Amino acid sequence: MTAKNSEIVETQQEPAGSGVPQIDSKYRLILIAAQRTKQLQRGAQSRTSFDTKKHKATTVALQEVKEGKIKFKVLDN
């Protein structure tokens, strides 16, 4: 069984649904949210209306993914 990696692409904020592939599994969702959480913890600006001082970075990251504001690529091994 081969696993496909995901990579979050840092871009300017773009409208939802602009060529972003669908998240095909819960595992991929966790990987993407974890990467975005690390970015938020290191000082990246939130792309949602959630206040990063009132909400945990994980909550903000999951909301960004839910709203389609995170662009990522599926990398084949």
Side-chain angles (χ1 to χ4, degrees), residues 4 14 18 22 28 34 38 48 56-58 65 74-75:
K4 292 182 180 179
E14 295 183 14
S18 59
Q22 291 295 320
R28 188 174 312 280
K38 288 178 188 176
T48 66
K56 292 183 179 181
T58 305
V65 172
V74 177
L75 305 175

Side-chain angles (χ1 to χ4, degrees), residues 35-76:
Q35 287 181 343
R36 183 61 182 154
T37 298
K38 288 178 188 176
Q39 292 174 350
L40 290 168
Q41 290 172 336
R42 292 180 182 149
Q45 281 196 328
S46 172
R47 298 176 182 177
T48 66
S49 60
F50 278 32
D51 184 5
T52 55
K53 294 179 182 177
K54 292 183 181 180
H55 300 282
K56 292 183 179 181
T58 305
T59 304
V60 175
L62 285 169
Q63 184 64 28
E64 289 177 346
V65 172
K66 179 181 175 183
E67 291 178 6
K69 296 189 177 184
I70 301 299
K71 288 190 73 171
F72 66 94
K73 290 192 270 185
V74 177
L75 305 175
D76 292 326

